[in-house]
Amino acid sequence: MTVRRVIGGIDGPEALARALRDAQYLADEGLATAAYLALALGKPLLLEGAPGVGKTEAAKAIAAVLGRELVRLQAYEGIDASAAMYEWNFPRQMLAIRQAGDSYVNLYGDDFLIARPLLLALQRPKERVLLIDEIDRSDHEFEAFLLEFLSDFSLSIPERGTIRASEAPVVVLTSNRTRELHEALRRRCVYHWIGYPDPQLEAQIVMMRASSVARETAHKVVAAVGKLRAEPLAKPPGVAETVEWAEAATLLNARGAPWPTAFARAIGVVLKDQDDLAFVAPRLDRILQGAA
């Protein structure tokens, strides 16, 4: 194992936390440490947590800190290797054959190769960060393929041969834990669970991401969101919804809606499921008392 104590000018968890803050992402000590160790050890970073806690945003911030392009592979049920690796541009190949006539044409040149996220990461590992988002949405077959890819960072293209990365690319995987990932995949990664931030940190995130929101408003909306998350909702609000609710309520208040009416009128920004809205409606006044 090659240990890189300094990568992208980052020489420790504290330096990474400061750099992430500059990139508009507030990371606690646990996340900053896990991310730094993944970078230093050349291992993938596996981030698990409920939807909306900032897993994808963490990957974007890491790419920004390193000054690299983020290549995102969105996993979904039924995704196959070709959607993740590469495919040949068949219509362009057919057009090239017709135009060439009797002349020779290399149908497997770069002009006909459509690189997908995994191949893109291998081609320029020093310039890109690979994000495999919501890996838990894929099936076990794709997870097994991905495990093989992460073991040696290479892809085999029958018409071209094997392509290997010159060094291990930076890889971030996210999971909402809708199903358990294979133990072998977990062992290959540096793992970190991202929970909902504590109220103080979430208020700081709101003020960082929504500059028009006052400090007092940020703390009040965080308190209200905390009460919503304590309810048995189908889709509890994430951090992004907290920020958007604070912005929306502030906008309505600036246009004349008093507190807490502004929060109540903007409820569709924080709750986006009809059953949740119907369930919360009788309790909304009580929930918003702390945000009055």
Side-chain angles (χ1 to χ4, degrees), residues 68-90:
R68 300 187 182 190
E69 174 190 1
L70 182 73
V71 178
R72 181 177 180 178
L73 172 62
Q74 176 62 55
Y76 54 88
E77 185 178 357
I79 187 174
D80 57 12
S82 63
M85 294 192 302
Y86 71 93
E87 61 181 314
W88 296 107
N89 191 330
F90 183 72

Side-chain angles (χ1 to χ4, degrees), residues 16 19-20 22-25 31 35 45 47 54-74 128-133 170-174 194 209 240:
L16 180 56
L20 289 173
D22 292 340
Q24 300 293 295
Y25 188 91
L31 176 56
L45 174 64
L47 300 176
K55 302 182 297 294
T56 301
E57 289 300 315
K60 293 178 180 179
I62 290 171
V65 165
L66 297 177
R68 300 187 182 190
E69 174 190 1
L70 182 73
V71 178
R72 181 177 180 178
L73 172 62
Q74 176 62 55
R128 291 170 174 154
V129 171
L130 174 62
L131 167 61
I132 304 174
D133 218 4
V170 176
V171 181
V172 180
L173 300 93
T174 72
I194 300 183
R209 292 298 183 95

Side-chain angles (χ1 to χ4, degrees), residues 254-265:
R255 293 181 174 274
W259 306 110
T261 303
F263 285 111
R265 289 178 58 184

Side-chain angles (χ1 to χ4, degrees), residues 213-226:
V213 175
R215 179 182 297 273
E216 184 178 2
T217 302
H219 283 280
K220 289 179 178 179
V221 75
V222 166
V225 168

Side-chain angles (χ1 to χ4, degrees), residues 6 12 62 73 75 83 87 89 100 102 116 136 146 153 181 199 221 226 235 271:
V6 179
I62 290 171
L73 172 62
E87 61 181 314
N89 191 330
D102 296 332
R116 297 307 184 193
D136 55 316
L146 185 62
F153 292 108
L181 301 179
V221 75
K235 297 180 180 179
L271 294 181

Side-chain angles (χ1 to χ4, degrees), residues 220-260:
K220 289 179 178 179
V221 75
V222 166
V225 168
K227 293 180 180 179
L228 289 175
R229 289 174 183 155
E231 300 285 341
L233 302 178
K235 297 180 180 179
V239 178
E241 283 76 28
T242 305
V243 175
E244 291 169 358
W245 197 20
E247 286 186 308
T250 299
L251 178 62
L252 293 178
N253 177 254
R255 293 181 174 274
W259 306 110

